[in-house]
Amino acid sequence: MATPAQGPAEGPCSTAPEGPEVHPVDQKLHPSRLVPAALQHIAAMYAGVVTPPLIIGQAVRLDTAGQTRLIAASLLIAGVATLLQTLGVKGLVGNRLPFVNAASSAGIAPMLAIAETNATDDQLPAIYGAVMVAGVFCLAVGPFFGKLLRFFPPLVTGVVITLIGVTLMPVPVAWAQGGDKAAADFGSMKHLALAAFTLVVILLIQRFGRGFLRQVALLLGLLIGTLAAIPFGMADFGALGSAPVAALPTPFAFGAPEFQPAAIISLCLVTLVLMTESSAGMLAIGEICGRETDGRTITRGLRTDGIATLLGPVFGGFPTSAFAQNVGVVSLTKVRSRYVVAAAGGALLVLGAFPVLGAVVSTVPMPVLGGAGIVLFGSIAVSGIRTLSEAGLDDSSNIILVAVSLGAGIIPLAAPTFYVDFPAWAQTVLGSGISAGALVAVALNLFFHHLGTRGGASAPALKSS
């Protein structure tokens, strides 16, 4: 049950409640305050939303038109999921909190592993088939997930989040060198200089910028880096002329989904981690907003994740989960109205309906993306390290758990051919550092903290509906 507001919400963008029973989460702000607050959320999440389609599109060698469709689909699904989460259907779907949902970077590494073990024409169909089953899995497990949270303490989630950032780092490094390893100028100084310039711009904005400028440092870095590339002929805007101004994604534009057991297992494992991350985000946002977040709220929120993940592949979307950076925006601005985030979701929906906007993103030079990507993926790893710092690493068994799990997750990165003689299904599951690390972390957590113990040192289970 909602806790009634005790007075006006604090912060520069807040407004007085309409009545004593209106909780700050349910306040409808004046457009003059709602729009700037919504723009902050869009700025915080935009780079993260377009990252999965950019990486996957590059990996499966889509042309500019295909890349544009992927980006548009990602924006569209993010908008729908965020609207469903913030407005929802009371008692059924949506946590009705200022909570952003979009394609998660956690699914990138296992999807890349799926792509590598399939022929060109089967890459996206195999990925989308696995994503759809992962959505069904999320819907099935969601109502009971509160009871499973004890198997995913900060030790486990911290390892996985750290591995997400670490295992994805080769992607921006390759971008910084030009993106195309077959190109004659791959790794040339002009590419490296442009990537370094973009990185320096982002660092300078972070150091000397204030407020909103610091929040949009990545976007400004991408913009300034692209402008700097124009005089040197390193920016190609030809795609803008061929991209349709307005169009809705075509269902199954990349082929009918294929359902491969190994690919499905890999993404279901990642889905468990995403559900843990979403649950933690809902608990955090509930605390920030002063609204109780119980098991039923989490179940409705996870149901939204499952629906978006199940239906997303129909139009070209990927696994959907919470965006932690937007929880930080709520904490920073003190603007707790869910209608602000709903407005941001509506804006994403509009952006997804105009593919030409996605084409703008696809014209950003690879080295520019590389410079920004180092910051983006590095910050993911830092989030994992922060989680691990709160996980009791003064205990020797916890140190061993983290050490072995990280080691297992880094094997595919350090030795890409390590599993070459394994069966195809094992290559798909273990070839993703995230999946391998998650499996080992869960197994060792069971071994050290649950097997033969009474209750273990685990988090209490949430109530489920």
Side-chain angles (χ1 to χ4, degrees):
M1 182 177 178
T3 304
Q6 301 300 314
E10 297 178 358
C13 297
S14 60
T15 185
E18 297 175 359
E21 297 300 322
V22 177
H23 193 280
V25 168
D26 299 316
Q27 291 176 14
K28 297 180 180 179
L29 306 184
H30 188 275
S32 63
R33 295 180 175 181
L34 183 144
V35 172
L39 286 174
Q40 290 185 88
H41 280 281
I42 295 171
M45 73 182 295
Y46 191 87
V49 174
V50 301
T51 294
L54 277 173
I55 295 177
I56 300 300
Q58 288 283 332
V60 300
R61 294 179 173 82
L62 289 181
D63 57 15
T64 302
Q67 190 92 289
T68 298
R69 285 199 298 269
L70 276 190
I71 293 172
S74 187
L75 291 167
L76 185 73
I77 298 301
V80 171
T82 300
L83 283 170
L84 192 59
Q85 194 72 274
T86 52
L87 303 180
V89 178
K90 192 171 184 179
L92 183 62
V93 177
N95 56 33
R96 296 165 69 86
L97 292 167
F99 202 70
V100 171
N101 281 75
S104 171
S105 295
I108 294 175
M111 287 190 290
L112 291 177
I114 294 169
E116 289 172 2
T117 55
N118 279 275
T120 302
D121 292 341
D122 298 324
Q123 289 176 318
L124 282 176
I127 288 172
Y128 286 138
V131 173
M132 293 181 77
V133 176
V136 174
F137 177 74
C138 180
L139 289 171
V141 175
F144 316 102
F145 192 69
K147 296 178 181 178
L148 298 177
L149 277 178
R150 65 195 187 99
F151 299 117
F152 295 88
L155 275 172
V156 174
T157 57
V159 164
V160 175
I161 296 170
T162 302
L163 284 173
I164 291 170
V166 171
T167 58
L168 290 177
M169 195 54 69
V171 173
V173 171
W175 285 351
Q177 297 175 87
D180 184 2
K181 295 182 180 180
D185 62 351
F186 180 76
S188 65
M189 284 305 300
K190 67 176 183 178
H191 292 319
L192 299 180
L194 183 57
F197 172 77
T198 303
L199 178 58
V200 169
V201 168
I202 294 171
L203 294 176
L204 289 174
I205 295 172
Q206 281 288 332
R207 172 63 180 85
F208 298 106
R210 292 291 182 270
F212 183 69
L213 280 180
R214 297 183 67 179
Q215 291 180 17
V216 297
L218 277 173
L219 289 179
L220 289 176
L222 291 172
L223 174 61
I224 295 172
T226 301
L227 293 175
I230 294 175
F232 300 97
M234 298 173 66
D236 181 11
F237 298 98
L240 293 178
S242 58
V245 175
L248 292 177
T250 304
F252 300 117
F254 301 100
E258 297 178 9
F259 302 98
Q260 302 177 4
I264 290 170
I265 291 171
S266 177
L267 279 185
C268 283
L269 284 171
V270 172
T271 296
L272 286 171
V273 176
L274 292 179
M275 293 171 72
T276 304
E277 188 178 8
S278 271
S279 298
M282 283 183 262
L283 290 170
I285 201 72
E287 183 176 344
I288 291 169
C289 294
R291 169 166 281 180
E292 182 184 358
T293 305
D294 57 13
R296 289 180 292 275
T297 303
I298 289 177
T299 296
R300 294 194 302 272
L302 294 178
R303 194 170 288 146
T304 304
D305 287 0
I307 291 172
T309 301
L310 171 60
L311 298 180
V314 175
F315 302 102
F318 298 112
T320 298
S321 183
F323 261 43
Q325 55 265 53
N326 292 87
V327 175
V329 172
V330 175
S331 177
L332 179 68
T333 64
K334 302 296 189 297
V335 181
R336 294 173 281 179
S337 171
R338 59 191 171 99
Y339 295 104
V340 167
V341 177
L348 291 173
L349 188 63
V350 172
L351 290 173
F354 290 87
V356 68
L357 298 173
V360 171
V361 178
S362 66
T363 60
V364 176
M366 283 291 117
V368 174
L369 286 172
I374 289 173
V375 178
L376 179 63
F377 297 132
S379 65
I380 295 174
V382 170
S383 296
I385 294 170
R386 184 189 300 119
T387 301
L388 287 174
S389 69
E390 303 169 355
L393 292 184
D394 53 340
D395 185 294
S396 60
S397 62
N398 289 346
I399 294 174
I400 293 296
L401 185 157
V402 173
V404 175
S405 301
L406 287 176
I410 292 175
I411 285 175
L413 187 66
T417 60
F418 188 85
Y419 297 108
V420 70
D421 293 327
F422 282 57
W425 65 266
Q427 291 184 46
T428 301
V429 175
L430 300 177
S432 162
I434 297 172
S435 297
L439 274 174
V440 173
V442 170
L444 291 181
N445 179 56
L446 287 171
F447 177 71
F448 283 118
H449 300 303
H450 295 274
L451 188 64
T453 64
R454 295 183 179 180
S458 55
L462 294 169
K463 296 177 181 178
S464 59
S465 60

